[in-house]
Amino acid sequence: MTIRIAVVEDQAMVRAGLAMVVGSQPDMTVALEASDGFNLPSRLAQHPVDVVLMDIQMPRVNGIQATRAVMAMPDPPRVIVLTTFDTDEHLLGAIRAGASGFLLKDAEPEVLLSAIRTVHEGEAVISSRMTVRLLEFIGQLPDRGLQAQHGERLTATLTSREHEVLEAMARGASNPEIAATLQLSEATVKSHVGRIFAKTRSRDRVQAVILAFQEGLVDPGELASQASRRSMAQTPARKTTTAKQPK
């Protein structure tokens, strides 16, 4: 199955580069290119796609506004937001608008291609650096856990096994990793994840995990520290050279 991609980016050179990377893959094709988010839903109606690569900073209609408009479409495509700036405002704005992925533009092509495939399968993707920022932000929310006291607690309907799966998701575990830890088949884990989404009214993993934080199921401060350590471990060390001493 070929994944149809829309590349929405105002810089022509960057747009061409993204289209080239996507077009190099046998399972992907660029179905639409746009220089901004203006009237994007209408253009997508004429050129249906599965995944949109969306720039944040664009003229007329920015990426967050365009994502919000796209997600209001019937059966909308998945959206991966790309940005040069790793600010809390952009990250949270993209998630609230309905984006399923958030990557920095300095990500390696392999990371981008993997994110496209992951999002197309119904998962969510956030770069390691942005995960740390998101967890730190959630940890500062003053109303964390108050849903249980002052309103509906969506996680209350989850079974004990679904709680275990959600907690593992919050720790960044993939379906195969959850299956190995809980000694389940991947198909069973996938079924649990689907039921978690339905019961918590979550669109994807990001929304479900944020809900787990907000309802106090996991400690975002602890996970932020873990994510920070993983991010540092994944960052390749810079090579150092020693200047030659003059003879």
Side-chain angles (χ1 to χ4, degrees):
M1 179 180 179
T2 301
I3 305 174
R4 301 165 297 175
I5 311 294
V7 180
V8 185
E9 161 67 54
D10 64 319
Q11 298 183 44
M13 289 292 289
V14 176
R15 188 169 65 250
L18 290 170
M20 185 179 300
V21 170
V22 170
S24 69
Q25 301 301 296
D27 60 336
M28 299 182 190
T29 184
V30 177
L32 174 68
E33 293 186 37
S35 59
D36 63 35
F38 179 73
N39 205 24
L40 186 57
S42 296
R43 284 183 277 181
L44 290 174
Q46 297 175 3
H47 304 278
V49 302
D50 303 299
V51 178
V52 179
L53 299 181
M54 185 85 74
D55 184 26
I56 283 277
Q57 299 286 354
M58 295 186 294
R60 297 199 292 180
V61 178
N62 65 38
I64 293 176
Q65 294 169 330
T67 297
R68 191 175 296 113
V70 168
M71 296 310 297
M73 297 174 61
D75 193 21
R78 314 286 285 184
V79 175
I80 298 177
V81 169
L82 305 175
T83 181
T84 307
F85 311 102
D86 58 343
T87 66
D88 297 339
E89 178 185 1
H90 288 158
L91 172 61
L92 296 171
I95 291 174
R96 287 168 177 160
S100 297
F102 191 102
L103 295 177
L104 298 177
K105 288 185 178 179
D106 62 3
E108 295 293 332
E110 294 79 8
V111 174
L112 173 62
L113 295 172
S114 175
I116 291 173
R117 295 185 178 99
T118 299
V119 164
H120 180 248
E121 292 173 355
E123 303 292 348
V125 174
I126 301 180
S127 67
S128 297
R129 275 188 287 173
M130 298 313 300
T131 299
V132 175
R133 299 286 289 272
L134 177 61
L135 294 174
E136 289 174 343
F137 175 83
I138 294 174
Q140 297 170 3
L141 293 177
D143 61 342
R144 182 170 169 264
L146 292 185
Q147 289 88 341
Q149 301 176 27
H150 302 294
E152 181 181 12
R153 183 164 180 159
L154 296 178
T155 58
T157 61
L158 300 181
T159 66
S160 59
R161 179 64 83 184
E162 288 164 355
H163 270 280
E164 291 178 328
V165 172
L166 180 55
E167 290 174 10
M169 288 165 54
R171 289 176 169 79
S174 63
N175 284 1
E177 291 170 337
I178 295 173
T181 300
L182 300 181
Q183 298 183 335
L184 302 171
S185 69
E186 290 187 34
T188 299
V189 171
K190 188 173 182 179
S191 296
H192 283 312
V193 171
R195 286 194 290 271
I196 289 170
F197 290 168
K199 290 181 178 181
T200 62
R201 304 171 194 170
S202 300
R203 181 185 60 254
D204 52 37
R205 257 176 148 83
V206 172
Q207 285 197 337
V209 168
I210 289 176
L211 180 65
F213 296 144
Q214 291 178 328
E215 295 199 356
L217 296 186
V218 287
D219 182 359
E222 175 190 348
L223 295 186
S225 298
Q226 295 177 4
S228 180
R229 288 194 294 271
R230 286 197 302 269
S231 179
M232 292 176 64
Q234 294 169 0
T235 301
R238 293 185 178 181
K239 295 182 178 180
T240 58
T241 57
T242 303
K244 294 183 177 180
Q245 297 295 327
K247 296 181 179 179

